[in-house]
Structures are given as C-alpha cells and as structure tokens.
C-alpha cells in the first residue's frame, strides 16, 4: 500500500533538512579547521621571524664587538706601544746635560706623552675590556667603577654576589649594559652624590642594578641611542629591563634581570 503524499513529502523534507544540517556542520568544521591551520601557520611564521630577528641582532652585536676588539688591540699594541717607547726615550734625554729651557720642554713633553698613554689605554679598554676576558665580569665592572671614580663627579660603589660565571658573550653583553647605564647616570643624574652598581645572582636569576640618588626623571623619558643599545642587548640576552624613577629627589633605578645559563 503506497504511503500518503503528505508522509512522503514529510520524509523528503526531513531528509533535505538533515542533509542541509550535515552540509552546514561539515562547512563549520572545515572553516574551524582551516582557521586553526591558518593561525598555526601565522604563529609559525611569527616565531620564525622572531628567531631570525634574534639571530640578526646577535650577529650585529658580535660584529660590533669583534670590530671593537680589533680596534682596541690596535690602539694598545700599535699606538700605545709607540707612545710608551717615545716616553722612555724622553726620560733618557732628560738625564743628559741640557739648558733649563730644554729641561722644561722635555718635562712638558713627558707630561703630554703620559696623558696620551692614559687616554689610549682608556679608549682601548672602552672598546674592548681585556680585563673581562681575563678575569670575568665582576672584575671588569670593578675596573669600570674605579675609572668612573677617577672623574670625581660622584662616588661610585660596586656590590657583587656573583658565584657562577656566564659565557663570555653573555658577560660582555652585561658589561656593555652596565657601562652604558653608568655613563648615563654620570651624565644625567643631576644632583646625585652616590651611584651604586649591583650584580646579584640568586639561583638561576641574575640582576644587574644601577641606582643613583639624584633628582630622578619623569615617567616617560626620551629614548636615546644609548638606551636603545641597552634594550637590544637585553633582548639578545632574553632578559627584562625595568626602569624605576621615584619622585623628585628619590633618584633613578635601572634593573636588568635574566635567567642565567652558566657557561
């Protein structure tokens, strides 16, 4: 017995609705899957780009440090040695009989040559700190503090708790950061009488802090080339840079933190 037309139509309608629901569900699943794949691909591209930028930054820093090392050694071994030799010859000439004018002139030349030797050594160390490669980061920072104290601008103190050294590349980057932070403090910390440099290691966490007791600065200081250089090196170390400035008269505190990978 044939089914009534209404039943057949209802079955056909339900079949059509079921098919449409199935098609719609398949389309939704396809779109969701496609969207996930697209997001995953975009994430991979971003990660690859970030890794490329990191490698590029590292290569740039390494190239700069290599050039600084070469120039520093050329200054020390070439010009520095020549000037030192000239100074020794002048010392010998001073012991020979001569007029008072000649003696005064030789004394003046010796003073000039002494100043030149000191300046060459200072530039050489600034370009490439040999003490860092020989004795490590703590000693290099101590030398930086000693040189800074010679300027007489303010009292600079170093506090260290650094039991486990890092790789040379990491220590060099941290030294450059400390060097720039100290230079900025000496230049911009108006009214400061004391500058404290801290290198503290607690487990895997390492913190480099440069703090002054000057007038401080506003919440949004300009970013010069020095600060950008610091940020690049902090990024290369996969660390964090935190800048704290209190109210007027409470000074400025710059903190660099990173998770260490001992060398």
């Amino acid at each position: 017995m044939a089914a009534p037309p209404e039943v057949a139509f209802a079955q056909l309608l339900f079949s059509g609705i079921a098919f449409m629901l199935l098609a719609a569900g398949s389309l939704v699943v396809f779109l969701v899957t496609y969207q996930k794949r697209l997001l995953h691909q975009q994430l991979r591209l971003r990660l690859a780009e970030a890794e490329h930028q990191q490698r590029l930054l590292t290569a740039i820093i390494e190239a700069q440090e290599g050039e600084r090392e070469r120039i520093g050694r050329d200054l020390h071994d070439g010009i520095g040695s020549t000037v030192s030799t000239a100074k020794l010859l002048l010392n010998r000439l001073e012991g020979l009989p001569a007029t008072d004018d000649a003696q005064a002139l030789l004394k003046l030349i010796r003073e000039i040559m002494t100043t030149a030797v000191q300046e060459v050594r200072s530039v050489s160390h600034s370009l490439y700190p040999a003490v860092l490669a020989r004795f490590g980061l703590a000693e290099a920072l101590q030398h930086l503090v000693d040189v800074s104290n010679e300027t007489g601008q303010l009292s600079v103190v170093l506090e260290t708790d650094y039991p486990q050294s890092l790789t040379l590349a990491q220590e060099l980057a941290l030294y450059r950061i400390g060097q720039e932070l100290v230079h900025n403090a000496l230049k911009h910390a108006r009214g400061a009488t004391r500058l404290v440099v801290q290198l503290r290691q607690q487990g895997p966490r390492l913190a480099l802090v440069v703090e002054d007791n000057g007038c401080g600065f506003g919440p949004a200081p300009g970013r010069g080339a020095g600060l950008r250089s610091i940020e690049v090196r902090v990024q290369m170390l996969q660390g964090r840079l935190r800048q704290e400035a209190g109210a007027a008269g409470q000074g400025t505190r710059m903190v660099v933190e990173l998770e260490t990978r001992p060398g």
Side-chain angles (χ1 to χ4, degrees), residues 181 184 217-223 227 231 240-246 252-256:
L181 289 176
N184 286 347
F217 47 75
R223 266 165 163 63
L227 189 54
E231 290 172 340
R240 298 173 300 278
L241 174 65
R242 189 170 73 253
Q243 179 175 288
E244 302 172 356
T252 302
R253 179 183 172 92
M254 302 293 292
V255 183
V256 176

Side-chain angles (χ1 to χ4, degrees), residues 1 31 44 69-70 80-81 114 121 134 139 146 244:
M1 181 177 178
L31 290 176
R44 284 191 301 174
E69 179 182 1
R70 184 189 66 80
S81 297
T114 299
R121 287 175 178 172
R134 295 177 182 174
E139 287 297 327
D146 293 341
E244 302 172 356

Side-chain angles (χ1 to χ4, degrees), residues 47-68:
L47 289 175
E49 183 178 358
E51 291 177 359
H52 173 71
Q53 291 294 332
Q54 185 70 24
R55 288 195 297 268
L56 182 62
L57 288 174
T58 302
I60 292 173
I61 295 296
E62 288 177 350
Q64 290 177 343
E65 294 298 345
E67 187 65 12
R68 283 180 170 181

Side-chain angles (χ1 to χ4, degrees), residues 5-228:
E6 294 81 359
V7 176
F9 177 75
Q11 292 176 345
L12 182 61
L13 179 61
F14 289 146
S15 299
I17 293 173
F19 177 76
M20 292 177 63
L21 290 174
L22 180 62
S26 299
L27 179 61
V28 170
V29 171
F30 171 76
L31 290 176
V32 170
T33 303
Y34 176 77
Q35 188 70 18
K36 286 184 178 180
R37 289 181 179 177
L38 183 61
L39 291 174
H40 184 66
Q41 184 178 9
Q42 290 177 346
L43 179 60
R44 284 191 301 174
L45 289 174
R46 289 176 183 174
L47 289 175
E49 183 178 358
E51 291 177 359
H52 173 71
Q53 291 294 332
Q54 185 70 24
R55 288 195 297 268
L56 182 62
L57 288 174
T58 302
I60 292 173
I61 295 296
E62 288 177 350
Q64 290 177 343
E65 294 298 345
E67 187 65 12
R68 283 180 170 181
E69 179 182 1
R70 184 189 66 80
I71 296 173
R73 287 177 176 171
D74 287 347
L75 280 173
H76 182 270
D77 298 337
I79 300 175
S81 297
T82 301
V83 174
S84 296
T85 301
K87 181 184 175 184
L88 291 175
L89 293 175
L90 286 174
N91 289 338
R92 291 181 59 187
L93 288 174
E94 192 177 32
L96 298 177
T99 64
D100 292 340
D101 291 339
Q103 287 293 330
L105 179 60
L106 286 173
K107 182 178 180 181
L108 177 61
I109 293 174
R110 186 175 66 177
E111 292 175 353
I112 293 173
M113 298 301 286
T114 299
T115 301
V117 170
Q118 292 174 347
E119 290 180 351
V120 168
R121 287 175 178 172
S122 177
V123 173
S124 175
H125 178 80
S126 177
L127 286 169
Y128 187 76
V131 65
L132 175 69
R134 295 177 182 174
F135 305 109
L137 179 59
E139 287 297 327
L141 288 176
Q142 183 62 60
H143 184 272
L144 174 64
V145 166
D146 293 341
V147 172
S148 300
N149 278 319
E150 290 179 2
T151 64
Q153 291 180 254
L154 49 83
S155 174
V156 188
V157 177
L158 176 65
E159 301 174 356
T160 61
D161 183 7
Y162 183 58
Q164 193 169 19
S165 61
L166 307 180
T167 65
L168 179 59
Q170 288 175 310
E171 290 197 337
L172 183 56
L174 277 171
Y175 175 81
R176 293 299 184 201
I177 292 170
Q179 186 180 38
E180 190 63 41
L181 289 176
V182 170
H183 172 76
N184 286 347
L186 293 175
K187 185 176 180 181
H188 299 295
R190 292 176 298 169
T193 59
R194 180 179 172 87
L195 180 66
V196 178
V197 180
Q198 297 178 336
L199 181 67
R200 303 225 177 258
Q201 192 174 39
Q202 294 180 343
R205 178 180 172 273
L206 179 67
L208 175 65
V209 180
V210 177
E211 181 177 11
D212 67 75
N213 64 345
C215 62
F217 47 75
R223 266 165 163 63
L227 189 54
R228 289 196 297 271

